[in-house]
Each structure stands twice: as C-alpha cells, then as structure tokens.
Amino acid sequence: MELFSVTNALLAFCAFLIYCVLLGIYRLYFSPLAKFPGRKLAALTLWYEFYFDVVKRGLYIWEIEKMHKEYGPIVRISPYELHINDLEYYDELYVGSSRRSEKYPWTTKQFGPSTSVFATVGHELHRIRRAALAPFFSTQAVQRLEPCVHEYSFARAYGALDRDDFAKTWYELVVASSEMGHTYKQFGWLAPILQALPVWLAEKMDPQLTALFNFRDMLREQILAVKKDIAEGKKPTSQMQKSVFHDMISNPAVRPQEKTTDHLVVESVSVIAAGMNTTAFCLAIITYHLLQNPDMLARLRDELATVAHLNDGKPSWQTLEKLPYLVMT
C-alpha cells in the first residue's frame, strides 16, 4: 500500500512536470503572442510580474519601460499581455464609449471582490455604474461646487490641509492599500479572507490593515446616516451639506443595485482614493520640480500674486485657469 502511494505521487509529479514543460513550450513558441518580443521569463510565467510588483513593491512598470527601450514599442509582458508605448495607438486603445470593450479581469483583481466602477469588467455594466457617478464630476458640476468640493463625497471635510503634515497617514493608507492590490492580482482568494478577519486579528497582523478596515467602517456609518436622513425626509439645508451620495441615493435614474450600502461603500473608497492620491502625487511632483528650478518658481509666484487678493485670498478655478504660466506648469 505504501509503495502504491509513493508510485502515485511520483506519477503525479511527473505528469505535472510534463504539463509545465508543454505549457512553457506553448507559451514561448505557439501562443498567439509568441511572435512579439520581450523577456522570455515574462512570457513563461506571471511570477516574473509577481517578483517586481510584490517583492520589489510595484517596480514592474519600470521593468516594462526597460523592455521598451530594448525591444521596441510593443512588448510581451506576461503569458497573456502586450504593452504598447506608441502614440499612434492611443485612439485605437482608448476608444471611450465608441466601441464595445471590456476591462482585463486580471487588472481588476487588484481591487479585491469589489463592485466599484473601477473593478467592473463588463462593458454594459461599467457604463451603467459610470453613468451613476459621471454627472457629479463634470467640469460644470465641479465649478458649481467649488466652495465645498473638498467635502463633496460626504459633505464632510477631514481637515487634512489644516494639519502640519497634511495628514499624510491618509495618503500612506491608500498607498498601502494599492500595494496590497499587487498581491490580490496574484492571489485572488486572499482579499475576501483578509476582509473577513476579525479586527483584533487584523490589528496584530498589520496596523495599516486595521486602519483600512476602520476607514471603511467610517464610510459605512456615513452612508447609513445619509440613507436615514433621506428615509426620514430630511433634506440638506445648503449645498455644503449635500454630497455625491445624497444625489445617488435619491436619484430615481440610478438602479437599486447601485444604491445598496455595500456598493456605496466600495464606490466611496474609490472616489476618495482617486481624489486623494492622484492629486497628492501630482502636487508632489510639481513642487519638486519647482524647487529644483527657482526661476520657474519665482515666475509662477509673480503670476499668482496678480490674483491672490481675489475672493479673500482664494481665487476661483475659473480665474486660475486663465493664468498662462500656471496652466503651462
């Protein structure tokens, strides 16, 4: 019986080894992507991406840049993917709503088991979910809400700009969450397990994980409060008290599926994160280059001084966008 078990184990191992060899041969020589240049190891396995994104913490994009310098504008970056660095392909790849297209499921795995618009794969469902949010972030809507735009998600400011460090812990929290996304892509089963952990266990494993859970719980409480106010017939007394989610929940054009508390929580995380780190990163890069170029900084300050006195020291965006050097910067 013991000999039989060992024999079975050896047969299973040999079968797996043969499968791996045949799969490698297919990916390198017979796959539809085999004719495209790139690293052979990247064409063989997703573990190549895992090494740069998980072990090296998000460096695969720079490895891809090296591939382009070595192999040209179109390179193979995984067994299933091509990466294109060619401006002539822009209109072909980014087609908007003019052509039916779906998101690549592999990339959406980084959001975990999410129903947010960012994680929605299907073309039709993505359009429905995007349509529920799009009106609130048009240029006209943002200009109308400029006095309270920093509170628009939940009609509540978090006071980040009033803190000495600009509340960098919020930024670090979103960065940490983004880093976890690389792991979720490789191990899709991990996200629901982590989200199901008790808070006390999550705190022992990683304090930032606990902070993320607390952040989501806070958003859930705020959404439930908005729903309660709407159910009781309470209306915001001013635009400052109105939020994106007031509009979504009370809008009859938005489907009931997009009004569930769970969906609104993940959507709110996406809205806040998208408005936080993108802006913070952009401002950080601009600030760095201005400090490295004092002449540019002085010229920008001189231009801003011409409107600094307007609106109690807070000139409107419509005023600022007319400043040519600021726009160019």
Side-chain angles (χ1 to χ4, degrees):
M1 185 68 177
E2 183 178 346
L3 179 61
F4 181 74
S5 298
V6 171
T7 302
N8 284 348
L10 287 174
L11 287 174
F13 175 76
C14 290
F16 177 73
L17 191 61
I18 292 171
Y19 167 78
C20 290
V21 171
L22 292 176
L23 181 62
I25 292 173
Y26 169 78
R27 288 177 173 177
L28 288 176
Y29 301 106
F30 298 103
S31 165
L33 304 183
K35 61 182 179 181
F36 293 97
R39 302 269 193 268
K40 295 300 182 185
L41 195 55
L44 274 173
T45 176
L46 290 166
W47 288 105
Y48 191 71
E49 178 180 343
F50 171 87
Y51 172 74
F52 284 99
D53 267 350
V54 178
V55 180
K56 303 286 284 186
R57 300 181 64 187
L59 294 186
Y60 197 41
I61 185 64
W62 308 116
E63 176 65 12
I64 292 172
E65 183 182 47
K66 291 179 182 178
M67 291 188 205
H68 282 300
K69 291 179 179 179
E70 184 175 347
Y71 297 109
I74 303 178
V75 295
R76 187 180 184 185
I77 63 171
S78 83
Y80 317 105
E81 293 177 81
L82 297 177
H83 193 277
I84 300 176
N85 184 18
D86 189 336
L87 289 177
E88 293 184 4
Y89 265 84
Y90 185 89
D91 292 331
E92 178 67 24
L93 295 174
Y94 297 96
V95 296
S97 59
S98 62
R99 186 181 72 199
R100 188 181 187 282
S101 57
E102 295 191 347
K103 289 190 175 184
Y104 182 34
W106 172 257
T107 61
T108 63
K109 287 173 66 178
Q110 64 188 299
F111 301 106
S114 173
T115 61
S116 73
V117 66
F118 292 111
T120 302
V121 174
H123 178 81
E124 289 77 15
L125 183 55
H126 181 271
R127 291 189 66 180
I128 291 171
R129 288 176 174 168
R130 184 176 182 274
L133 281 172
F136 311 122
F137 296 96
S138 66
T139 301
Q140 183 179 4
V142 172
Q143 288 178 344
R144 186 176 69 252
L145 293 159
E146 183 176 352
C148 56
V149 69
H150 62 297
E151 301 180 359
Y152 190 36
S153 286
F154 286 104
R156 169 182 174 180
Y158 295 97
L161 295 179
D162 298 326
R163 303 184 191 180
D164 292 337
D165 64 350
F166 298 123
K168 68 176 184 179
T169 51
W170 287 98
Y171 175 83
E172 292 169 349
L173 176 62
V174 177
V175 169
S177 177
S178 299
E179 286 190 8
M180 283 299 297
H182 295 307
T183 305
Y184 292 160
K185 283 172 68 176
Q186 302 287 339
F187 308 107
W189 47 267
L190 184 60
I193 291 178
L194 290 178
Q195 291 178 8
L197 289 177
V199 175
W200 64 267
L201 181 56
E203 188 172 27
K204 288 187 176 182
M205 293 176 59
D206 187 348
Q208 285 188 318
L209 196 61
T210 307
L212 180 60
F213 289 171
N214 291 337
F215 177 56
R216 288 180 175 175
D217 289 341
M218 178 187 68
L219 296 180
R220 181 178 293 275
E221 290 175 4
Q222 292 177 357
I223 288 170
L224 290 174
V226 170
K227 284 189 168 185
K228 183 174 182 290
D229 287 346
I230 293 175
E232 294 177 353
K234 296 180 181 178
K235 296 183 179 180
T237 56
S238 68
Q239 189 64 60
M240 287 290 287
Q241 292 185 339
K242 196 176 183 181
S243 71
V244 170
F245 297 100
H246 275 98
D247 289 335
M248 284 186 65
I249 294 169
S250 59
N251 185 353
V254 176
R255 302 188 315 164
Q257 296 93 316
E258 275 68 58
K259 295 181 182 181
T260 65
T261 301
D262 288 342
H263 175 73
L264 291 174
V265 168
V266 297
E267 207 70 281
S268 62
V269 171
S270 300
V271 168
I272 293 175
M276 183 189 303
N277 281 38
T278 51
T279 306
F281 186 75
C282 180
L283 290 174
I285 296 298
I286 292 172
T287 301
Y288 169 80
H289 285 288
L290 286 174
L291 292 175
Q292 292 297 309
N293 296 273
D295 293 341
M296 293 176 60
L297 178 59
R299 183 175 174 183
L300 181 60
R301 281 177 168 170
D302 290 342
E303 186 178 68
L304 289 172
T306 64
V307 297
H309 63 284
L310 300 176
N311 194 28
D312 295 327
K314 297 179 180 179
S316 68
W317 171 245
Q318 288 179 310
T319 299
L320 293 173
E321 68 178 350
K322 295 176 183 178
L323 299 179
Y325 197 71
L326 174 63
V327 173
M328 183 175 65
T329 302

